[in-house]
Amino acid sequence: MNFWNNSGSKAISFLFICALLLFIFDGYAKDNQKIDAISQEKEEIKAQIVELKQENKQLRSEKEYLQSQQSESPNKNGYLTWPKIEQIADAFVEESDGRFKKSWALYLVKEAQKFDVDPKIVYELLKVETGGTFDAELVGPETKYGKAYGMGQFMKNTAPWVAEMAGLPYKEELLYDPYYSMQLSIVYLDYLHNEYGNWEEALTAYHRGMSGMEEFVRKNGNAKSWYAVEILSNAEDHKTVAAAN
C-alpha cells in the first residue's frame, strides 16, 4: 500500500512538473512570437519612414524646380535662330537613317532650347531608350517596377508627376505620342539636372530612378554608369562632327 502511495505520488509529481514545464515553454514560445511580431512591425515602420522621407525629398525638389522656372521663355529672333535649329534637326534625321522624323527633330530642338537643355543629349537618350528604333509605341520589358512606355520609356509611376511639372494633362495613351513623350523627357532631364547639377547624375537618375542613382554612387563613388557615359559620349561626337563641317 505504501509502495502504491509512493509510486502514485511520484507519478503525480512527475505529471505536475511536466505540466509546469509545458506551461512555461508555451509561454516562452508565445513571448517569442510576440517579440518576432514586434520586430517585424518595427522593420515595416522603418521601411515606411524611409519611403516617406524619399517622397518628401522628391516633393521639395519638385517645388524648388518649379519655383526656379521662369514664367515665360526668353524671346529670341526666330529668323536668326531657325537655320541652326534646322541644321541640328537635319543631322538627327540623317544620323537615324530617317527613323527619327524631321518634324520630331524640329520639335525636339526647339523645346530643348527653351529649357537650355542640349538637344543632342535628349536625342541620344531617346536613341538608347528605344534601341535606335525611335519607336513611339515601344513597350519595354517587364521589371519589378512595371513596364516603360513610348519613346521616352516612362513608367506609369513616374510619368504623372513629370507631366504635372510640365503643366501637361496625363493619360496613359499619351505616352505613345512622340511629341508628348519628348516633352516629358526634356522636362524630366531639366528637373534632374537642376537637382544634381551635372549630367552624369541626371542621366543615371533618368535610367535608374533617383534613389537608384544615389545607390549607384554609394557603391561606385561616381555616377558614371554605362548609360550616362554612352549618351554623353555620343552627344559630344555630334558636336565634333558639326565643328568639322
Side-chain angles (χ1 to χ4, degrees), residues 32-196:
N32 278 346
Q33 289 176 353
K34 289 180 181 177
I35 291 170
D36 289 342
I38 291 171
S39 297
Q40 184 178 354
E41 188 176 350
K42 283 183 178 178
E43 291 302 317
E44 289 175 356
I45 291 172
K46 285 181 181 178
Q48 289 174 0
I49 290 172
V50 170
E51 187 176 345
L52 287 171
K53 283 183 177 178
Q54 187 66 33
E55 288 179 3
N56 190 42
K57 180 181 177 182
Q58 180 177 309
L59 288 171
R60 283 202 308 271
S61 61
E62 286 176 37
K63 181 180 179 182
E64 290 170 1
Y65 170 73
L66 290 171
Q67 289 175 340
S68 71
Q69 299 306 298
Q70 296 180 351
S71 59
E72 294 181 4
S73 59
N75 293 321
K76 295 180 179 179
N77 188 313
Y79 178 78
L80 296 177
T81 58
W82 183 256
K84 182 65 175 177
I85 290 172
E86 191 162 24
Q87 180 186 2
I88 297 171
D90 285 338
F92 291 162
V93 175
E94 182 180 356
E95 199 277 340
S96 69
D97 293 327
R99 287 185 290 272
F100 197 66
K101 297 178 182 180
K102 177 69 175 283
S103 60
W104 298 353
L106 291 171
Y107 180 87
L108 170 62
V109 177
K110 284 181 64 67
E111 290 304 306
Q113 287 183 347
K114 285 181 183 178
F115 291 85
D116 288 327
V117 173
D118 186 347
K120 292 178 282 295
I121 290 177
V122 186
Y123 169 82
E124 289 298 331
L125 178 144
L126 297 174
K127 183 167 73 173
V128 170
E129 288 291 342
T130 61
T133 66
F134 298 102
D135 182 0
E137 298 183 358
L138 180 66
V139 177
E142 185 70 55
T143 71
K144 64 179 180 179
Y145 302 109
K147 295 181 180 180
Y149 302 87
M151 197 183 294
Q153 285 291 278
F154 278 92
M155 290 186 170
K156 293 177 182 178
N157 62 341
T158 304
W161 62 267
V162 177
E164 185 177 358
M165 280 200 307
L168 295 172
Y170 175 74
K171 293 180 181 178
E172 290 180 5
E173 57 266 28
L174 287 173
L175 296 177
Y176 299 112
D177 182 319
Y179 302 100
Y180 184 88
S181 190
M182 283 189 286
Q183 189 74 52
L184 289 190
S185 293
I186 292 166
V187 171
Y188 193 29
L189 279 174
D190 186 46
Y191 163 73
L192 292 171
H193 188 262
N194 184 74
E195 178 71 12
Y196 298 113

